[in-house]
Amino acid sequence: MGRRGYLSVAVLLLASLPLTACGEGAGADRSGGWKALETAQLSLFYPASWKALPKRERGDGVNAAASLTKDGREVAKVGVQLRFISRGDAELAVGAASAAIEFHGRIEGRWRIDVPGAEEAQRVDYVRIGDGAPGKAPDGAAINGIDVVGVDAEAQPFLVRINATSEGADRSELERIAGSVELKAGG
């Protein structure tokens, strides 16, 4: 084999390495150094600087949550609510989840998305205004949010609510959390 032949084989071998060494196979790390938030039905990842909240600090009906606090105020949070309505479809789940936002904010957009393991899902982007409640965002602060809402194969609803002030998290972090949502088989 000539010099060109060896070079061609070397190029082919090098080109095949990423295909076999990367990807999400068994044991692949999807977290990118972030922490996992797990429930029986779904999992997601959130920034390592945030703190997982114990049940007493999550709020009614919230199955799992993590937040970031600065100067005694919550400036970013992700919360998971499972079965927050009776069985239904994604449209019904989105309507129920969006009702609270419409009273205190503005929906910026809504569209269907693919969530691994979900039967159907939608994303709702919104902005609401902080009310200055103790320990929460300051009065008048803009809070950017993303809801990932849907149903699993058994028509069980789920809601992942992600929101932050500008000092809590940038848009790319909210996007990354939303993109990490994955339903578990048989959850």
Side-chain angles (χ1 to χ4, degrees):
M1 183 181 300
R3 189 171 157 169
R4 280 191 174 163
Y6 285 116
L7 185 58
S8 297
V9 170
V11 168
L12 286 173
L13 286 173
L14 286 173
S16 69
L17 285 176
L19 297 175
T20 58
C22 298
E24 291 200 22
D29 180 12
R30 292 188 321 118
S31 73
W34 283 20
K35 296 178 185 174
L37 190 62
E38 304 272 346
T39 71
Q41 190 177 1
L42 64 81
S43 66
L44 60 85
F45 294 99
Y46 63 93
S49 60
W50 295 22
K51 178 185 111 178
L53 299 176
K55 188 174 185 173
R56 70 182 181 281
E57 295 178 26
R58 290 185 208 146
D60 292 338
V62 180
N63 300 85
S67 70
L68 177 65
T69 304
K70 290 185 179 176
D71 299 324
R73 290 192 175 272
E74 184 178 271
V75 293
K77 184 175 183 178
V78 58
V80 177
Q81 290 181 278
L82 307 175
R83 297 170 176 86
F84 65 99
I85 60 169
S86 59
R87 292 175 184 260
D89 60 15
E91 289 292 328
L92 183 62
V94 167
S98 298
I101 297 166
E102 291 176 0
F103 284 114
H104 304 288
R106 178 181 71 250
I107 293 179
E108 302 273 300
R110 173 180 159 181
W111 57 94
R112 293 187 187 282
I113 59 171
D114 289 324
V115 172
E119 185 69 24
E120 59 179 321
Q122 292 188 27
R123 173 177 160 162
V124 179
D125 286 18
Y126 59 92
V127 176
R128 64 182 179 83
I129 304 301
D131 60 10
K136 301 298 180 186
D139 189 31
I143 301 168
N144 293 304
I146 298 173
D147 282 359
V148 177
V149 190
V151 294
D152 65 14
E154 285 79 43
Q156 295 294 336
F158 65 90
L159 164 62
V160 175
R161 180 157 282 165
I162 312 154
N163 52 62
T165 64
S166 60
E167 66 176 307
D170 63 33
R171 190 72 187 176
S172 67
E173 288 176 307
L174 301 181
E175 297 281 349
R176 186 170 168 194
I177 296 168
S180 74
V181 176
E182 188 172 294
L183 267 65
K184 298 176 181 179

